[in-house]
Amino acid sequence: MNAKSLYQEVILDHNRKPRNYGTLDDASHQAVGHNPLCGDRLDITLNLNDEHIDKIAFHGESCAICKASASMMTAAVKGKTYAYAETMIKEFRDMATGKLNLDNPHHLGRLTVFSGIQDLPTRVKCAILPWHTLHAALNSVAGASTEAEHDPANASTV
Amino acid sequence: MKIIDTKFESQTVTNNMESTRLDFPILKLKVNNKPLVYLDSAASSQMPQVVIDRLSYYHTAQHANINRGVHYLSETATAAYNAARCKLQQFVNAKEDREIIFTSGTTDAINLVMHGYGRKFIKAGDEIILSTLEHHSNIVPWQMLAEETGAKIRVIPINDAGELLIDEYEKLFNKRTKFVSLIHVSNSLGSINPIKSVIAFAHTHGVPVLIDGAQAAPHMSIDVQDLDCDFYAFSAHKLCGPTGVGVLYGKEELLESMQPFKGGGDMIATVSFEKTTYNTIPHKFEAGTPPIAAAIGFGTAIDYLSTLGLDEIHAYETDLLNYATEQIKQIPGVHIIGTAADKTAILSFVIDGIHPHDIGTLLNQDGIAIRTGHHCTQPVMQRFQIPATSRASFAFYNNKTEVDALVAGIHAVKQVFS
């Protein structure tokens, strides 16, 4: 994997113009994700309506890989069901850690651009943090904040 | 003590700084099809061939456990280990070789003083002075002590250049001040602290001082008697030696007064279930089998550096730092963090709109190794209100061509993000 090509493919677009960037004032679910290793922080707010993610937004301080991953993730899960989003979360985590066979059917679409991240082991957590935070948000009590401080790469529960 | 380094003669090394890189086999590596440009010596320096050979020779022909064996190999290994201690004694100009304690590194050395001195002599309400510049390894042990005893931590602030505010330091003293623990050279900014005057001032109040010399010992000559420090700690792996070993220098009378840190073999005189009596220094603080091979390799690294000359190393690296600083501060959007008047060859910087981790990953594509993050100095990051920096750190085996590669690399990173 050439890091430059990953950057050129996703960063150029999503780092400069992140999708769904901001905070929802009327969020039903939210979570804050931290990467204690680098101090990155990501806030996710979303509205779950009849099992569907109606609206989703993120903001925070992070590196370009994390920001692009968050931007593409919010675009990908918007309008999808809770269950669909959870499937994507699992598939993305597996892909980033080299455990997903991309030849088999999956739901990641353009997000497979991040498959090369498995060759940059120190950056895997950067790509996974938004997904971990989304998982925490989806499983949070409406309106409550969930600190997701444990290792995003290994986390499976809130 | 007579120094015997049995049957191993160090190869002669060059003392032309530019060609020292030929002594370091790892510097011939290619990374991502580019020549390795290793600018992370502040994290860990590389080992010259003589040190690698010394480790190999030890394992090939000298290895056994030390101190108690009566057989040939044990005597040989013991002599080589003791010789390494004497080399370290001379390196920092300690009065006695028993003032040199082998530890696992600087962190271990600081913890030794916290347990051995701090837990015995520092009580509730006492104050310990640290500085904003400290590495976490010189903060956390003292916080643990403060939590345990009810002692208090006081912090010397720094200015915008990353220099200690000495007036503020002096104001921190009162009758409850019991200890000062201070970094000699900041690992994240490169600032060289004026430790001699800092130590002298503490001594006017009868307060002992520990100096964390991890980033200083590789880059300038250290004379613990001239500095009059009470403790001085540093690690082999930042001094062209192996990982797993470091040194605590302590004044004899202080070391004698301290309680042991770790209990075990070698640190005792007699043991019964009723009572144990402790060995003399340095053995009192070296429980268990020490990192024998690493200590011996450390001795060879010290020989190597001494041959080059620490003053010569300092002058060469300062020239390299000045060259790099001039180049990098001219790049638009790049800001150097840490602009102390007196610095070692550490260059921390941030680039507008680009996260340090992205900079590090992209430079690695060009074979350039730098460090990114908070460098285990979160209080420094908070002082400058940044989450992290990119840090290029130079050693005597680096050259201006590598500085040029870094500058070109930074331009390329900016290009990706433009």
Side-chain angles (χ1 to χ4, degrees), chain B residues 119-353:
Chain B
R119 293 179 80 189
K120 185 166 178 187
F121 296 113
I122 295 175
K123 312 283 181 213
D126 288 349
E127 296 185 1
I128 301 159
I129 296 179
L130 311 174
S131 86
T132 306
L133 292 172
E134 302 314 314
H135 188 282
H136 295 166
S137 62
N138 199 26
I139 298 174
V140 182
W142 303 111
Q143 280 175 331
M144 291 163 75
L145 180 69
E147 202 160 301
E148 181 185 313
T149 61
K152 225 173 122 185
I153 308 278
R154 308 292 303 272
V155 182
I156 314 167
I158 56 172
N159 64 19
D160 290 342
E163 296 165 321
L164 288 186
L165 296 174
I166 297 299
D167 288 353
E168 299 297 320
Y169 162 67
E170 297 186 352
K171 280 187 221 157
L172 291 176
F173 278 82
N174 59 52
K175 61 180 191 312
R176 296 180 301 275
T177 308
K178 289 290 154 60
F179 202 79
V180 175
S181 197
L182 182 66
I183 199 163
H184 191 169
V185 168
S186 159
N187 66 302
S188 48
L189 306 179
S191 325
I192 303 175
N193 290 325
I195 57 163
K196 193 172 173 178
S197 57
V198 164
I199 293 163
F201 186 83
H203 286 174
T204 63
H205 287 76
V207 174
V209 182
L210 181 153
I211 299 294
D212 164 2
Q215 296 293 341
H219 306 292
M220 62 190 74
S221 57
I222 303 299
D223 183 333
V224 292
Q225 293 189 68
D226 178 56
L227 291 170
D228 198 26
C229 53
D230 301 280
F231 300 99
Y232 197 97
F234 55 102
S235 302
H237 72 97
K238 296 190 200 290
L239 276 150
C240 301
T243 54
V245 71
V247 149
L248 173 71
Y249 157 81
K251 281 180 180 165
E252 182 192 349
E253 60 274 20
L254 281 168
L255 292 175
E256 293 283 13
S257 74
M258 286 158 59
Q259 61 190 17
F261 172 26
K262 296 168 184 166
D266 260 353
M267 54 78 72
I268 52 87
T270 61
V271 174
S272 72
F273 282 107
E274 287 70 40
K275 182 162 178 62
T276 290
T277 57
Y278 300 125
N279 203 340
T280 53
I281 60 166
H283 311 291
K284 182 167 88 175
F285 296 108
E286 294 183 3
T289 299
I292 306 166
I296 292 168
F298 193 5
T300 304
I302 292 303
D303 287 344
Y304 177 83
L305 293 172
S306 302
T307 305
L308 295 176
L310 268 296
D311 293 341
E312 287 76 8
I313 287 172
H314 187 64
Y316 177 85
E317 291 176 350
T318 301
D319 182 51
L320 209 53
L321 173 70
N322 292 341
Y323 179 74
T325 305
E326 277 310 307
Q327 304 278 311
I328 285 176
K329 77 179 185 194
Q330 283 172 25
I331 306 173
V334 177
H335 310 281
I336 294 174
I337 308 292
T339 49
D342 208 7
K343 271 184 73 172
T344 59
I346 282 174
L347 203 67
S348 250
F349 60 92
V350 293
I351 306 180
D352 291 339

Side-chain angles (χ1 to χ4, degrees), chain A residues 3 7 22 33 37 44 58 75 81 91 107 115 121 134 136:
Chain A
Y7 274 83
L37 217 64
I44 288 181
F58 82 97
T81 62
E91 287 180 353
H107 307 78
S115 64
L134 174 62

Side-chain angles (χ1 to χ4, degrees), chain A residues 98-115:
Chain A
K99 287 182 276 195
L100 185 74
N101 184 350
L102 289 172
D103 294 336
N104 294 337
H106 60 78
H107 307 78
L108 293 175
R110 278 195 59 220
L111 285 158
T112 53
V113 71
F114 283 99
S115 64

